[in-house]
Amino acid sequence: MQKTYSLLQKIMACFSMLLLSSCIKISENSKHNKKENIAAFDWFRYEGNDAIYKTLSADKEKYLNPILAGFYPDPGICRVHDKFYLVNSSFSYFPGLPIFESTDMVNWKQIGHVIDRPEQLDLKLAVSKGLYAPTIRYNKRFFYVVCTNVDAGGNFLVTAKNPAGPWSNPIWLPEIEGIDPDIYFDDDGKVYITHNGPPPNNISVHEGHRAIYMMEFDLEKSKTVGESKLVVNGGTDMSQEPVWIEGPHIIKKDGFYYMICAQGGTEYNHSEVVFRSEHIFGPYSSFPNNPILTQKHLDKTRANPVTTTGHADFVELSNGDWWSVFLGCRPYGDDLYNTGRETFMLPVKWKDGWPEIVGGKEPIPFQFKKPNLCSSKENISPMNGNFIWQDDFNSDKLDFKWNFIRTPSEKWYSLEKGKLLIKARKETIQTETNFSFIGRRQQHLNFDVSTKVDFKLQNQSQTSGLLAFQNEKSYFLLGNRLNDSGKQKVFVERVSKILNNEKREIVAETDLQENSDSVLYRIEGNAGLFNFYFKENENDSWILLLKNSDATILSTKLAGGFVGTYLGMYTSGNHFSTKE
Ligand code: 6LW
């Protein structure tokens, strides 16, 4: 009995040893596998160096334009006591609708995103679809943001007690067609939503013919009341065939309702115009001196042009001064800009019952006298001017500057021990998915961006590296990959509609000498020309892989769409197994 028992015991012991060792193997393997599928980014450095800022002398009385540099279009602004809040469009980037707070309107601190939970919205869309043109307003202890999720639900409203969040889930507004909703709280307690929509009876009298409609909104029931009423047909003057009337905002002053709107389309001919009426639903008359903001008539060859200005919102300070925020672009060539549409600011002056943006039809100044507000003492990370920004990934949360493309459906990244670990998944840049990319905006015409990544390449499909991205048809990827004989190559892949008919093309490639898993990447951007560098050790000098590559392919003019260039970290387990 005893013998049998001890024999059994021995057998059991052997078996469990076997099991344990195979378990150890499995866990070692999975640990190994885990590492092998993970790109570990050590740090990310962004430096912006625009020549224009060097020509301006430091002046404590003045602020810099743009107030938010880089892709921050369609600004909406409101004031609550002594604080200002500003939101921007973000299209299919997640988290969506960045929100900023300021006490002096000069230093803007990002306090969060209005859309930051996947349950709020699932952005599974083309890059320039998704979240367009939000309006932010405050009424009786609540903040309201109305916005459009283009091609995925349409117009919606979200609310919050704290602008830093949490914001509610969307209340969808199916009765409201079109885009660019505004919410207006009248003195009598009534609420109105004003928006862009198709021309009356869906009949376009000319190309780009749109209209502005208004609807009452029942706040308690969170429902629209009655029908949308036409308030502006076409724009300022139908005989001039105005195009793309949009982005309305309602303001009340001295017994008049003012409606400011963008007109001309969000390109070179963009402008801001104003209408007024004694009654909320109109009739609205157009200001005889419209537009109140545009750069379209100015000499195209002027130095340091700001173009495309329009899509404004107004805010009144507690001292009765009025200011306007609006979008504009900083081209480096003939209507070429990679930085997208940015947020600018200028004062508003009222004269004879009409508002005008001060100097709105002259070249937009890069420096202007500050609003009459106390300067913020807080140390706020700069949103304009020349600066260096580095993330060493020592926090347990991603900085608000980082974005994903589309809503993540799984957690494929983590911050661990000073590294940002990103899983190389099957998704690639070419797919309209939430591929493994974490990026930030290009905020300067001239920039220098670099990162260090450790990634154990196991097969020829994988890659990781630094991505300059406008959309899946317009990007540069600087990364590494394995060749047929297991040697590591560092490469630049380019995709462009203009240069190579949207085909993926390796435009530069060389061997990595050490075949180690760690590579440093750097892209130096000089307006429309990019240089690509790499090295294998921090202390080495950078090796130039590709010089003066034509980066106009990342401009809005050539890439299309409404966003600006993102720079960031990318990895995929499948990048080279999917041929386009
Ligand atoms: C936005 C429209 C516009 O909905 O561009 O500049 C569109 N104005 O109002 C996208 O940002």
Side-chain angles (χ1 to χ4, degrees), residues 508-564:
E509 189 164 46
T510 192
D511 287 343
L512 278 173
Q513 292 310 312
E514 296 182 14
N515 229 21
S516 82
D517 302 333
S518 167
V519 190
L520 291 92
Y521 299 104
R522 173 179 171 206
I523 304 176
E524 191 184 29
N526 300 309
L529 296 171
F530 282 10
N531 300 326
F532 297 85
Y533 303 85
F534 72 99
K535 60 184 179 178
E536 291 173 77
N537 298 293
E538 300 244 8
N539 296 330
D540 296 349
S541 309
W542 288 104
I543 301 165
L544 182 65
L545 178 61
L546 179 64
K547 195 175 164 58
N548 285 343
S549 191
D550 181 357
T552 61
I553 62 161
L554 300 181
S555 68
T556 298
K557 187 172 173 181
L558 303 188
F562 294 128
V563 301

Side-chain angles (χ1 to χ4, degrees), residues 73-74 89 91 132-133 179-180 246-247 262 265-266 270 310-311 327 341 562:
D74 308 321
S89 305
F91 302 90
Y132 280 38
I179 56 168
D180 297 358
E246 54 196 7
T266 191
H270 209 201
H311 200 117
L327 73 79
R341 298 167 302 154
F562 294 128

Side-chain angles (χ1 to χ4, degrees), residues 10 49 93 98 146 186 250 258 321 327 402 509 551 556 558:
K10 275 182 192 159
N49 244 319
Y93 280 97
V146 280
D186 209 343
I250 299 284
Y258 291 88
D321 288 351
L327 73 79
W402 294 116
E509 189 164 46
T556 298
L558 303 188

